[in-house]
Amino acid sequence: MSDQHLWAQIRELPYFRAMLRAVEASFYEDFGLSTPLLDVGCGDGHFAQVVFKQKVDIGVDPELEIMREAQARKAYRMLVQADGGKLPLADASIGSAFSNSVLEHIPHLDVVLREVGRVLKHGALFLFTVPNPGYRSELSIPRMMTKIRLSNLGKSYENWFMRMSRTIHLYDQNGWAERLKAAGLKIERTFNYFSPAALRALEWGHYFGAPCLLPHTLLGRWIIAPYRWNLAITERFVQRYYDPSPREDGTYSYYLVRRE
């Protein structure tokens, strides 16, 4: 199972994105897919294309350009360009929904959660994954700065990294429970995943993965030669961090919530 998820991501994405998405892909195997299924923040559609055997019913995203890529992947029955805070969907019209590593980037989070609650049928499930406070506290460079008594410089790096990764919201379970309750949603299951060591590999991947930007800009693909002979070293490296099991010190969190 791990090799299947891992290779499906590595052959198309920079390694740091691939190792996180591979872990998250495994969470959807037991997700009850009541239809119509909504993807909140579908982006380029890569995750839906790789993870789901059938087409996702509806993909929503505010960015038109990236949705053209999602359209080319043909992973959705319908794509809708819309702000998550103003979903053009009827009340109680959605059977289940998911949002994979998206909610942490949304400034008007509470508005979006209320909209998701509004369009879900009563009793419908909503699965989402997000980084938690460990995403900030376990970064490698601030920890190194603290050891050499440059903690202020480390804090500045943390702030920069949050801006660079467009990460706005980092809540623990209580923080999410409060926001979800206001949207008519209740946590049914949650756990942490993605070890501090994996996070640090992801952190450095933002820099080591920079060469992938050129082929993506010129050719529309992150990986020029998506073959095992080319990616064998990358696959062995990433395999060390592939662990979808729950862990208390995990820097990302899984939430399965239900519309009350």
Side-chain angles (χ1 to χ4, degrees):
M1 180 180 70
S2 62
D3 288 343
Q4 174 189 350
H5 289 307
L6 203 54
W7 177 246
Q9 302 290 337
I10 288 173
R11 67 187 180 188
E12 292 194 40
L13 297 175
Y15 87 82
F16 67 97
R17 284 180 57 188
M19 65 182 187
L20 176 61
R21 298 294 174 259
V23 168
E24 292 168 339
S26 67
F27 301 154
Y28 290 79
E29 294 175 344
D30 299 323
F31 179 40
L33 300 175
S34 298
T35 57
L37 173 64
L38 172 66
D39 182 356
V40 181
C42 64
D44 62 10
H46 174 266
F47 190 80
Q49 181 188 40
V50 171
V51 172
F52 297 103
K53 295 180 180 178
Q54 72 277 26
K55 288 185 178 183
V56 174
D57 296 297
I58 306 170
V60 173
D61 202 280
E63 297 185 26
L64 180 59
E65 191 61 36
I66 200 169
M67 289 188 73
R68 290 196 174 101
E69 189 172 343
Q71 184 176 33
R73 293 181 182 278
K74 299 180 180 180
Y76 299 88
R77 300 184 189 280
M78 180 171 66
L79 286 167
V80 180
Q81 183 194 10
D83 187 299
K86 297 179 180 179
L87 295 173
L89 300 169
D91 295 358
S93 61
I94 297 299
S96 58
F98 69 96
S99 187
N100 200 78
S101 292
V102 170
L103 298 181
E104 67 270 22
H105 304 303
I106 299 176
H108 52 305
L109 173 63
D110 294 332
V111 177
V112 172
L113 291 176
R114 286 197 297 270
E115 273 293 270
V116 172
R118 178 185 67 80
V119 302
L120 284 175
K121 296 177 181 179
H122 290 282
L125 294 175
F126 175 40
L127 185 161
F128 66 90
T129 59
V130 286
N132 59 46
Y135 179 82
R136 180 171 184 137
S137 64
E138 294 295 341
L139 291 171
S140 64
I141 292 179
R143 294 168 71 87
M144 289 188 289
M145 292 295 100
T146 299
K147 287 181 180 179
I148 58 175
R149 299 183 180 181
L150 293 174
S151 56
N152 288 338
L153 188 59
K155 289 293 183 184
S156 296
Y157 173 83
E158 287 180 16
N159 294 334
W160 174 83
F161 194 85
M162 295 304 107
R163 291 194 301 271
M164 183 273 295
S165 62
R166 299 180 298 108
T167 303
I168 302 172
H169 306 286
L170 294 173
Y171 304 126
D172 59 14
Q173 181 177 340
N174 291 333
W176 277 109
E178 180 181 346
R179 285 164 175 79
L180 292 165
K181 182 179 180 180
L185 301 165
K186 184 177 181 180
I187 298 174
E188 193 156 282
R189 186 188 182 204
T190 183
F191 59 81
N192 296 338
Y193 64 96
F194 211 64
S195 69
L199 173 73
R200 290 161 199 153
L202 180 145
E203 174 190 355
W204 285 97
H206 282 82
Y207 315 121
F208 295 139
C212 293
L213 288 171
L214 184 60
H216 187 261
T217 300
L218 297 178
L219 306 173
R221 53 197 297 184
W222 295 103
I223 308 299
I224 296 177
Y227 310 110
R228 274 199 158 92
W229 59 262
N230 180 50
L231 298 168
I233 294 176
T234 300
E235 188 173 17
R236 284 198 297 272
F237 171 75
V238 173
Q239 184 71 54
R240 283 187 275 173
Y241 302 104
Y242 180 85
D243 181 8
S245 59
R247 50 185 304 145
E248 187 174 345
D249 64 350
T251 58
Y252 276 72
S253 299
Y254 163 103
Y255 286 90
L256 183 65
V257 306
R258 190 179 295 275
R259 176 69 169 94
E260 294 185 299

